[in-house]
Amino acid sequence: MSFNPDRAFYGSFSKLLLDGEWQTNANSVEATVEMSKGELNVMGDDWTRYKKGQKSGSGTFSGYKVTSKMIEQGFERFELIISLEDPEAWGHERVRLKNCMADSIQLANVTSGEIIEEETPFTFEGFELLDAVTAQ
């Protein structure tokens, strides 16, 4: 199959839902799962082997300041659904992040003459791929 650039996702069509509510002010979101691995060195083998360990999830979302939602949310747990959409792509992808909790809450970030943005770093404890994209 040859690459068709029209099938690449363009981020502008994507959505972020916080506890089911579309965050229309959001302009970026990033989430990553990392897994620790234990090294195993055994006799008769010159390769280091790895055993799967604990996983940890972290991310950040940001957007334009329009409400006090995140200050009110505080450090209470929430759920995020990230929807990757593009009308030219082969479908859409949705990932649910479970048991999210803010790492820090921005109380103020004001510069005269600039539009105010807020950024929320967070951790999460599990994810679920709700919809997957497959080539046709």
Side-chain angles (χ1 to χ4, degrees), residues 38-64:
E39 287 189 6
L40 302 172
N41 295 304
V42 296
M43 293 186 293
D45 191 345
D46 61 353
W47 282 93
T48 299
R49 304 300 175 161
Y50 297 93
K51 180 166 180 66
K52 293 179 185 178
Q54 296 291 106
K55 294 186 263 312
S56 63
S58 63
T60 302
F61 64 88
S62 60
Y64 301 105

Short mmCIF file of all heavy atoms in Angstrom, two decimals, residues 38-64:
data_model
loop_
_atom_site.label_atom_id
_atom_site.label_comp_id
_atom_site.label_asym_id
_atom_site.label_seq_id
_atom_site.Cartn_x
_atom_site.Cartn_y
_atom_site.Cartn_z
N GLY A 38 12.53 -4.62 34.13
CA GLY A 38 13.62 -5.16 34.94
C GLY A 38 14.60 -5.89 34.04
O GLY A 38 14.20 -6.63 33.14
N GLU A 39 15.89 -5.66 34.27
CA GLU A 39 16.92 -6.33 33.48
C GLU A 39 17.20 -7.71 34.05
O GLU A 39 17.30 -7.90 35.26
CB GLU A 39 18.22 -5.52 33.49
CG GLU A 39 18.17 -4.28 32.67
CD GLU A 39 19.54 -3.62 32.53
OE1 GLU A 39 20.56 -4.20 32.98
OE2 GLU A 39 19.58 -2.52 31.96
N LEU A 40 17.31 -8.67 33.17
CA LEU A 40 17.65 -10.04 33.54
C LEU A 40 18.91 -10.45 32.79
O LEU A 40 18.95 -10.38 31.56
CB LEU A 40 16.51 -11.00 33.18
CG LEU A 40 15.15 -10.71 33.81
CD1 LEU A 40 14.09 -11.62 33.21
CD2 LEU A 40 15.21 -10.88 35.31
N ASN A 41 19.92 -10.83 33.53
CA ASN A 41 21.16 -11.31 32.93
C ASN A 41 21.33 -12.76 33.36
O ASN A 41 21.38 -13.06 34.56
CB ASN A 41 22.35 -10.46 33.40
CG ASN A 41 22.22 -9.03 32.90
OD1 ASN A 41 22.09 -8.81 31.70
ND2 ASN A 41 22.21 -8.08 33.81
N VAL A 42 21.39 -13.64 32.38
CA VAL A 42 21.48 -15.07 32.69
C VAL A 42 22.77 -15.65 32.12
O VAL A 42 23.32 -15.16 31.13
CB VAL A 42 20.26 -15.84 32.14
CG1 VAL A 42 18.99 -15.38 32.84
CG2 VAL A 42 20.11 -15.68 30.65
N MET A 43 23.23 -16.69 32.75
CA MET A 43 24.46 -17.36 32.30
C MET A 43 24.23 -17.99 30.93
O MET A 43 23.14 -18.48 30.62
CB MET A 43 24.87 -18.42 33.32
CG MET A 43 25.30 -17.83 34.64
SD MET A 43 25.96 -19.04 35.81
CE MET A 43 24.50 -20.01 36.17
N GLY A 44 25.26 -17.97 30.12
CA GLY A 44 25.20 -18.59 28.81
C GLY A 44 24.51 -17.74 27.75
O GLY A 44 24.27 -18.20 26.64
N ASP A 45 24.17 -16.50 28.07
CA ASP A 45 23.47 -15.62 27.13
C ASP A 45 24.12 -14.24 27.23
O ASP A 45 24.21 -13.67 28.31
CB ASP A 45 21.99 -15.53 27.50
CG ASP A 45 21.14 -14.86 26.44
OD1 ASP A 45 21.69 -14.19 25.53
OD2 ASP A 45 19.90 -14.97 26.53
N ASP A 46 24.62 -13.72 26.10
CA ASP A 46 25.27 -12.41 26.15
C ASP A 46 24.32 -11.26 25.85
O ASP A 46 24.73 -10.15 25.60
CB ASP A 46 26.50 -12.37 25.22
CG ASP A 46 26.16 -12.61 23.77
OD1 ASP A 46 25.00 -12.94 23.45
OD2 ASP A 46 27.07 -12.45 22.93
N TRP A 47 23.03 -11.53 25.89
CA TRP A 47 22.00 -10.50 25.72
C TRP A 47 21.34 -10.21 27.06
O TRP A 47 21.03 -11.12 27.83
CB TRP A 47 20.91 -10.95 24.75
CG TRP A 47 21.33 -10.85 23.32
CD1 TRP A 47 21.89 -11.84 22.56
CD2 TRP A 47 21.23 -9.70 22.50
NE1 TRP A 47 22.15 -11.38 21.31
CE2 TRP A 47 21.75 -10.05 21.23
CE3 TRP A 47 20.78 -8.40 22.68
CZ2 TRP A 47 21.82 -9.18 20.17
CZ3 TRP A 47 20.84 -7.53 21.63
CH2 TRP A 47 21.35 -7.90 20.39
N THR A 48 21.12 -8.95 27.33
CA THR A 48 20.33 -8.56 28.49
C THR A 48 18.87 -8.75 28.13
O THR A 48 18.41 -8.27 27.08
CB THR A 48 20.58 -7.09 28.88
OG1 THR A 48 21.97 -6.94 29.21
CG2 THR A 48 19.73 -6.68 30.06
N ARG A 49 18.15 -9.46 28.94
CA ARG A 49 16.72 -9.71 28.72
C ARG A 49 15.93 -8.75 29.62
O ARG A 49 16.44 -8.25 30.61
CB ARG A 49 16.36 -11.16 29.03
CG ARG A 49 17.16 -12.18 28.27
CD ARG A 49 16.97 -12.01 26.79
NE ARG A 49 17.84 -12.94 26.06
CZ ARG A 49 17.66 -13.29 24.82
NH1 ARG A 49 16.64 -12.78 24.14
NH2 ARG A 49 18.48 -14.11 24.24
N TYR A 50 14.66 -8.55 29.27
CA TYR A 50 13.83 -7.60 30.01
C TYR A 50 12.51 -8.21 30.40
O TYR A 50 11.86 -8.87 29.59
CB TYR A 50 13.58 -6.33 29.17
CG TYR A 50 14.85 -5.59 28.85
CD1 TYR A 50 15.54 -5.84 27.69
CD2 TYR A 50 15.37 -4.67 29.76
CE1 TYR A 50 16.73 -5.18 27.40
CE2 TYR A 50 16.54 -4.00 29.48
CZ TYR A 50 17.22 -4.26 28.30
OH TYR A 50 18.38 -3.60 28.04
N LYS A 51 12.11 -7.96 31.63
CA LYS A 51 10.81 -8.39 32.13
C LYS A 51 9.95 -7.15 32.30
O LYS A 51 10.40 -6.14 32.84
CB LYS A 51 10.96 -9.10 33.47
CG LYS A 51 9.64 -9.57 34.05
CD LYS A 51 9.85 -10.54 35.17
CE LYS A 51 8.55 -11.02 35.77
NZ LYS A 51 7.73 -11.79 34.87
N LYS A 52 8.72 -7.25 31.83
CA LYS A 52 7.79 -6.13 31.96
C LYS A 52 7.55 -5.79 33.42
O LYS A 52 7.44 -6.67 34.26
CB LYS A 52 6.44 -6.47 31.31
CG LYS A 52 6.47 -6.63 29.82
CD LYS A 52 5.09 -6.99 29.31
CE LYS A 52 5.10 -7.27 27.83
NZ LYS A 52 3.76 -7.66 27.35
N GLY A 53 7.44 -4.49 33.70
CA GLY A 53 7.18 -4.02 35.05
C GLY A 53 5.94 -3.15 35.10
O GLY A 53 5.02 -3.30 34.30
N GLN A 54 5.94 -2.22 36.02
CA GLN A 54 4.81 -1.32 36.21
C GLN A 54 4.69 -0.31 35.07
O GLN A 54 5.69 0.07 34.46
CB GLN A 54 4.99 -0.56 37.52
CG GLN A 54 4.96 -1.45 38.76
CD GLN A 54 3.58 -2.02 39.01
OE1 GLN A 54 3.36 -3.20 38.77
NE2 GLN A 54 2.67 -1.20 39.46
N LYS A 55 3.47 0.13 34.82
CA LYS A 55 3.21 1.16 33.82
C LYS A 55 2.81 2.45 34.54
O LYS A 55 2.26 2.42 35.63
CB LYS A 55 2.07 0.73 32.88
CG LYS A 55 2.42 -0.47 32.02
CD LYS A 55 1.32 -0.74 31.03
CE LYS A 55 0.35 -1.76 31.35
NZ LYS A 55 0.37 -3.00 31.79
N SER A 56 3.11 3.56 33.88
CA SER A 56 2.67 4.85 34.41
C SER A 56 2.21 5.71 33.23
O SER A 56 2.79 5.66 32.15
CB SER A 56 3.77 5.56 35.19
OG SER A 56 4.86 5.86 34.36
N GLY A 57 1.15 6.45 33.46
CA GLY A 57 0.59 7.31 32.41
C GLY A 57 0.67 8.77 32.82
O GLY A 57 0.40 9.12 33.97
N SER A 58 1.06 9.61 31.87
CA SER A 58 1.11 11.04 32.14
C SER A 58 0.79 11.80 30.87
O SER A 58 0.87 11.26 29.77
CB SER A 58 2.49 11.44 32.67
OG SER A 58 3.48 11.19 31.69
N GLY A 59 0.42 13.05 31.04
CA GLY A 59 0.10 13.88 29.89
C GLY A 59 -0.12 15.32 30.28
O GLY A 59 0.05 15.71 31.44
N THR A 60 -0.50 16.09 29.28
CA THR A 60 -0.77 17.51 29.46
C THR A 60 -1.85 17.92 28.48
O THR A 60 -1.85 17.45 27.34
CB THR A 60 0.49 18.36 29.17
OG1 THR A 60 1.53 17.93 30.03
CG2 THR A 60 0.24 19.83 29.37
N PHE A 61 -2.77 18.75 28.92
CA PHE A 61 -3.68 19.38 27.97
C PHE A 61 -3.67 20.87 28.23
O PHE A 61 -3.41 21.33 29.33
CB PHE A 61 -5.10 18.78 27.98
CG PHE A 61 -5.87 18.95 29.25
CD1 PHE A 61 -6.65 20.07 29.47
CD2 PHE A 61 -5.86 17.96 30.22
CE1 PHE A 61 -7.39 20.22 30.63
CE2 PHE A 61 -6.59 18.09 31.38
CZ PHE A 61 -7.35 19.23 31.59
N SER A 62 -3.90 21.62 27.17
CA SER A 62 -3.90 23.07 27.31
C SER A 62 -4.98 23.66 26.42
O SER A 62 -5.50 23.01 25.51
CB SER A 62 -2.54 23.65 26.96
OG SER A 62 -2.20 23.34 25.63
N GLY A 63 -5.31 24.89 26.72
CA GLY A 63 -6.34 25.59 25.95
C GLY A 63 -6.45 27.03 26.40
O GLY A 63 -5.70 27.50 27.26
N TYR A 64 -7.38 27.71 25.80
CA TYR A 64 -7.62 29.11 26.12
C TYR A 64 -8.46 29.21 27.39
O TYR A 64 -9.38 28.43 27.59
CB TYR A 64 -8.31 29.81 24.95
CG TYR A 64 -7.48 29.72 23.69
CD1 TYR A 64 -7.85 28.85 22.68
CD2 TYR A 64 -6.33 30.47 23.55
CE1 TYR A 64 -7.07 28.74 21.54
CE2 TYR A 64 -5.55 30.37 22.41
CZ TYR A 64 -5.92 29.50 21.41
OH TYR A 64 -5.14 29.38 20.30
#
